[in-house]
Amino acid sequence: MPPPVRFDRVEGIGVVTLDNPPVNAFSLSQRIGVKEALTNGLQDPDILAFVICGSGRMFSAGADIREFDTGVAAESPTLPELISLIEDSPKPVVCALHGTAVGGGCELSLACHSRVAVTGTRIGLPEVTLGIVPGAGGTQRLPRLIGVLPALDAIVSGKPMIAERALELGLIDGLTDDSDELLKTSVSVARRLAIEPGPPHKTRDRNSQLLKVRDRPELFDEFRSRIARRARGFEAPFACIDCVEAATTMPFEQGLAFEREVFLRCRSSDQSLAQRHAFFAEREARKVSGLGPETPQLDIRCAAVLGCGTMGSGIAMCFVNAGIPVIVIESEQGMLDRGMEMIRKNYTSTVSKGRMTEEEAEARLTLIEPTLEFERVSEADIVVEAVFEDMDLKKKIFTRLDALCRAEAILATNTSSLDVNTIAAVTGRPEQVVGTHFFSPANVMRLVEIVRGHQTSPEVIATVLTLSKRLGKVGVVVGVCDSFAANRMLYPYSRQAQFLIEEGAFPEQVDRVIQDFGFPMGPFALSDLAGIDVGWRVRQHREHSRPKHLRYSAIGDRLYEMGRYGQKTSKGWYQYEEGSRIPIPDPDVVDLVLATSKELEIDRREISDEEILQRCLYPLINEGARILEEGIAQRASDLDVVWLYGFGFPRYRGGPMFYADSLGLRHVYEVMQNFYEIHQDWLEPAPLLERFAREDRTFAEWDAK
Ligand code: 3HC
Ligand code: NAI
């Protein structure tokens, strides 16, 4: 292994270059390398000052997260030790930032005596997203540099800022447009600092920003209430606020010790374990069997979307938001106008919320070309079909696409349940056909299930994976089966929720339990949001073709027949006041639920919150085990990603399969078996779950095989 740090001399300046691909993470060897370089340089009278910079794509992604679980992170020099060495250095240290400088990488820069960055560099402290606080002085130094409120915003949101903003706030001292100039500029800053009289200025001694809020101790509680809804259930955001508050109430050393203690406590918490799992799961999902860095990819410069309804309009926005021009094709002018109006309204609302300028919205709209001419598909590198969920219609469309599209074009379907192989089979190029299952609303939800047909080529899968990242989405590859992974796991969850209200619960109780677990909303509120009519249409196809010995809850159908379609009609499982999205329990639904139980001759019983949670969650985990065994998903952690991004599974619980591991598969199996004995029906434990429970194994072990 080449050493992860290089040392060079440039005009009397010691240049320390981090060289630890792919992200210059501060592993033990990199920490040792930097310490050695600085120690040697400090002893060398010919070295006047230092520049620390990064090689490759970025400055640094921070501490090496993989070392958290092995204990190596605690080996000396630890990151805080290294950072103190830098701050205390009698020779000035300048940090040269490019690409990304986050976490411990950013913290190291904060302790340097000056910071210079290339325009566009992303700088920040994303630790909170891993369930921890910055643990190398970030919560103490950042407020000293940029002020308490901007520091709170940055640390608690975890969102990096671009260098231009960092300059405005005083996080960095200089900016260069030209990355080739970064080293030269930094060396000249270092030379200037070296001749200044006295020791270099330390960030820890800067207290003027802290003094500005001395009379406003209440601002921290205000901040806590401000994030209470957004951060519900998460521990780390509140721990971050505690640390920044400590910066204003304690002397530097004591604040630092406080931060370290909180960091170590968070790092060993279940939440951080789960959030770190989520981080790596997302990255693992990009590694797909049969694909490698050598797999060629197609260049996507222009897209076409077929159908401008609910999904097509959202998908078109995804493309133009990423700067890819899109041709939107409809069969009728009225539908086309309606779809374009939806898109326009969406952008107008974004502008009114101050998240986009009018010019930006206009620029995006000009990238969308609405048309009724189907033949225009011939111009596209990828066509995403989003017409009605009807196999005959999709077959007709794909036959036409095959005749009209360029030979190398990707033909994608947004079907949510139909067989991608059957669709591919009507074309002469099944290797170019793939499922791209976006979630509604497509311009907001980040999950895309990439459905790999039997013949879909590795090039097409690789291209669509890269494309999803470009669209700001998280792509997860799954195989062909009825409803793929996400919805297939959702059905048992919603189904049990409905059985529970037949047996004795009410929608608001089920939703409360699920929300308390950490989901943004429960299954009934979700059904009202998605549309009871949409669920009804899906059930016509799937539940009515189910094996007849399996139960079916018809309450949702009754609501549909009553014209209660959910939020769109202000009545569904709940009632809604004009213009409000807040669900209010509805006595008519209570009557319907009671009447249904009576009709089914069910003696309603008190149902505990624990049973509700287990009856909703364990069957979906059980279905996940079947999906794994059938090879529909490559790994259990892929299913976690699907649930984190498709349905808002609480990130601090890592995803359903990780959660099941944390409970123990033996427990999950025993509870499922018990439910099965009582209710029979859909609740039979999956063979894989049973086997793993017996062998005391975990889904993580399945992934590691
Ligand atoms: N430690 C260990 N491995 C890391 C890492 C880190 N901090 N950051 C990224 N990696 C790994 C990834 O797992 C991936 O590995 P793989 O190729 O084996 O899957 C590889 O580096 C490349 O990462 P990405 O695919 O994510 O590369 P991108 O270019 O898409 O993104 C990034 C780059 C924005 C830097 C992104 O990797 C990222 O967000 N990294 C984590 C940043 C972070 O949270 N830093 C805080 C760490 S904790 C800390 O510093 C504690 C301190 O306060 C004491
Ligand atoms: P929709 O009914 O809102 O829109 C379909 C559009 O396709 C209509 O505007 C229609 O005029 C147009 N269309 C029909 N035939 C056409 C043709 N020959 N050429 C061009 N346009 C044509 O349907 P929605 O909800 O957008 O669904 C589209 C697809 O996405 C379906 O396959 C559905 O299963 C899937 N899907 C839907 C989700 C949802 O929540 N609505 C979620 C994920 C996938």
Side-chain angles (χ1 to χ4, degrees):
M1 289 277 281
V5 174
R6 293 196 313 264
F7 186 77
D8 303 286
R9 288 158 198 270
V10 181
E11 299 169 24
I13 303 300
V15 177
V16 181
T17 308
L18 311 177
D19 189 8
N20 189 19
V23 294
N24 296 329
F26 277 92
S27 59
L28 178 61
S29 54
Q30 179 162 291
R31 298 196 301 271
I32 292 174
V34 174
K35 184 180 173 185
E36 273 177 14
L38 291 175
T39 316
N40 293 340
L42 283 171
Q43 286 161 5
D44 185 340
D46 293 338
I47 299 284
L48 306 173
F50 300 96
V51 167
I52 304 183
C53 59
S55 66
R57 292 193 286 136
M58 65 185 74
F59 176 71
S60 170
D64 187 335
I65 309 165
R66 292 183 199 274
E67 285 187 356
F68 286 4
D69 298 322
T70 59
V72 178
E75 281 184 38
S76 192
T78 62
L79 202 47
E81 283 166 10
L82 185 62
I83 288 176
S84 291
L85 179 75
I86 291 170
E87 193 169 53
D88 293 340
S89 160
K91 298 183 183 179
V93 186
V94 176
C95 210
L97 308 172
H98 79 288
T100 301
V102 290
C106 171
E107 289 176 292
L108 181 134
S109 79
L110 300 178
C112 291
H113 306 109
S114 184
R115 287 152 294 281
V116 181
V118 179
T119 329
T121 303
R122 293 160 63 80
I123 309 171
L125 296 171
E127 283 87 341
V128 71
T129 62
L130 299 170
I132 53 176
V133 301
T139 65
Q140 306 303 299
R141 290 192 182 89
L142 191 61
R144 283 177 160 81
L145 281 178
I146 68 171
V148 170
L149 271 173
L152 273 175
D153 276 333
I155 296 170
V156 174
S157 73
K159 286 195 189 121
M161 61 181 94
I162 56 163
E164 292 84 326
R165 175 76 183 138
L167 182 69
E168 275 169 23
L169 288 172
L171 197 166
I172 58 170
D173 312 297
L175 201 58
T176 164
D177 287 338
D178 183 354
S179 56
D180 295 337
E181 290 293 304
L182 178 64
L183 186 60
K184 205 167 133 202
T185 311
S186 308
V187 165
S188 72
V189 173
R191 286 182 65 83
R192 180 169 50 73
L193 292 183
I195 52 172
E196 277 185 7
H201 299 296
K202 297 179 186 182
T203 306
R204 66 166 73 190
D205 296 334
R206 296 208 202 175
N207 288 322
S208 61
Q209 291 284 7
L210 303 182
L211 294 177
K212 285 187 190 164
V213 298
R214 201 176 35 185
D215 303 332
R216 290 209 46 216
E218 70 285 358
L219 81 87
F220 295 99
D221 275 341
E222 285 166 13
F223 204 90
R224 287 182 184 97
S225 345
R226 212 167 91 199
I227 65 153
R229 229 176 75 123
R230 189 165 26 102
R232 185 174 59 90
F234 286 90
E235 290 160 6
F238 299 95
C240 287
I241 301 176
D242 294 346
C243 291
V244 177
E245 188 172 23
T248 66
T249 57
M250 296 177 189
F252 180 79
E253 282 301 337
Q254 204 184 332
L256 207 58
F258 179 82
E259 177 202 80
R260 192 68 189 162
E261 191 189 311
V262 176
F263 168 79
L264 293 174
R265 193 183 67 224
C266 289
R267 199 181 69 184
S268 57
S269 69
D270 290 344
Q271 289 210 348
S272 176
L273 214 59
Q275 287 176 246
R276 269 138 56 195
H277 165 80
F279 174 84
F280 286 115
E282 204 177 314
R283 278 147 187 88
E284 279 305 291
R286 295 184 203 143
K287 297 169 194 158
V288 178
S289 62
L291 267 62
E294 72 293 347
T295 310
Q297 298 202 18
L298 305 152
D299 194 14
I300 305 290
R301 285 154 310 189
C302 170
V305 173
L306 280 177
C308 192
T310 310
M311 295 307 289
S313 57
I315 296 169
M317 290 171 72
C318 295
F319 279 108
V320 296
N321 290 346
I324 302 171
V326 63
I327 303 165
V328 173
I329 305 169
E330 260 288 347
S331 53
E332 288 172 42
Q333 188 64 46
M335 299 306 254
L336 189 58
D337 294 342
R338 218 186 56 155
M340 286 305 294
E341 193 46 39
M342 273 197 305
I343 296 177
R344 219 165 275 125
K345 268 198 182 142
N346 212 302
Y347 281 129
T348 309
S349 135
T350 315
V351 170
S352 70
K353 287 179 193 148
R355 296 203 199 123
M356 195 184 276
T357 64
E358 253 170 66
E359 293 72 42
E360 280 167 341
E362 209 40 55
R364 291 185 196 195
L365 280 164
T366 54
L367 283 179
I368 306 181
E369 202 185 329
T371 178
L372 297 179
E373 290 169 46
F374 194 100
E375 294 70 23
R376 299 284 307 277
V377 294
S378 62
E379 294 165 37
D381 301 309
I382 182 169
V383 181
V384 181
E385 167 278 308
V387 305
F388 305 127
E389 187 76 337
D390 173 332
M391 183 53 105
D392 286 340
L393 176 62
K394 303 226 185 226
K395 279 184 175 171
K396 273 192 207 128
I397 293 219
F398 274 76
T399 310
R400 282 188 83 190
L401 287 178
D402 191 26
L404 291 166
C405 289
R406 287 211 286 265
E408 68 283 8
I410 295 178
L411 313 185
T413 171
N414 188 51
T415 178
S416 46
S417 60
L418 301 175
D419 186 335
V420 175
N421 293 324
T422 310
I423 297 173
V426 302
T427 72
R429 44 171 130 172
E431 69 287 351
Q432 296 294 107
V433 178
V434 64
T436 48
H437 182 209
F438 287 77
F439 285 68
S440 180
N443 54 314
V444 176
M445 297 300 292
R446 293 197 56 208
L447 177 68
V448 179
E449 277 184 302
I450 301 173
V451 187
R452 185 179 201 167
H454 290 327
Q455 297 189 59
T456 313
S457 72
E459 290 85 339
V460 167
I461 295 292
T463 305
V464 176
L465 264 170
T466 303
L467 177 66
S468 1
K469 200 174 172 196
R470 209 172 142 197
L471 301 187
K473 305 288 174 194
V474 179
V476 178
V477 176
V478 296
V480 175
C481 67
D482 185 11
S483 300
F484 321 124
N487 284 338
R488 188 171 149 184
M489 288 167 79
L490 182 72
Y491 294 141
Y493 162 84
S494 339
R495 197 182 283 127
Q496 292 303 319
Q498 297 200 19
F499 289 153
L500 282 163
I501 61 169
E502 287 180 357
E503 290 167 34
F506 286 101
E508 55 273 25
Q509 185 193 359
V510 175
D511 280 357
R512 175 183 51 74
V513 171
I514 295 298
Q515 230 187 332
D516 285 351
F517 178 77
F519 276 95
M521 65 184 84
F524 296 103
L526 179 68
S527 162
D528 274 356
L529 178 68
I532 287 178
D533 52 329
V534 174
W536 179 83
R537 239 169 263 126
V538 171
R539 284 196 301 277
Q540 296 315 297
H541 154 69
R542 58 189 347 277
E543 296 289 331
H544 292 171
S545 58
R546 77 193 189 283
K548 283 298 168 235
H549 66 283
L550 296 173
R551 273 166 78 193
Y552 176 71
S553 172
I555 303 189
D557 294 352
R558 297 290 94 80
L559 292 173
Y560 173 77
E561 287 152 13
M562 290 157 77
R564 301 181 66 115
Y565 294 169
Q567 282 190 18
K568 62 179 94 164
T569 58
S570 298
K571 279 181 191 309
W573 292 102
Y574 297 95
Q575 52 184 327
Y576 298 85
E577 279 169 4
E578 186 69 30
S580 160
R581 288 171 175 271
I582 300 170
I584 303 169
D586 186 335
D588 291 347
V589 174
V590 173
D591 290 346
L592 176 68
V593 167
L594 295 176
T596 307
S597 307
K598 198 164 169 207
E599 203 179 299
L600 294 168
E601 296 177 3
I602 294 175
D603 280 334
R604 289 179 67 82
R605 63 190 167 91
E606 185 89 10
I607 301 187
S608 71
D609 289 357
E610 185 188 27
E611 176 175 347
I612 290 176
L613 193 65
Q614 294 177 337
R615 280 277 294 282
C616 290
L617 294 189
Y618 293 11
L620 84 84
I621 293 164
N622 196 47
E623 196 63 35
R626 288 187 205 281
I627 288 174
L628 280 183
E629 200 159 28
E630 289 169 23
I632 297 297
Q634 198 178 317
R635 337 171 164 80
S637 65
D638 289 357
L639 299 177
D640 288 332
V641 177
V642 160
W643 271 76
L644 291 170
Y645 288 100
F647 305 115
F649 195 94
R651 199 171 175 89
Y652 57 81
R653 297 191 196 272
M657 309 312 273
F658 179 86
Y659 175 64
D661 274 354
S662 69
L663 295 169
L665 296 190
R666 186 190 296 262
H667 158 81
V668 177
Y669 166 74
E670 282 169 1
V671 173
M672 276 304 290
Q673 179 62 24
N674 183 37
F675 286 151
Y676 183 52
E677 280 162 20
I678 299 168
H679 303 280
Q680 293 292 302
D681 216 49
W682 299 92
L683 291 162
E684 186 171 5
L688 181 71
L689 180 63
E690 182 181 353
R691 178 155 65 84
F692 270 35
R694 206 170 353 96
E695 295 169 2
D696 224 357
R697 291 169 67 191
T698 59
F699 289 132
E701 287 173 81
W702 169 275
D703 287 357
K705 76 181 185 304

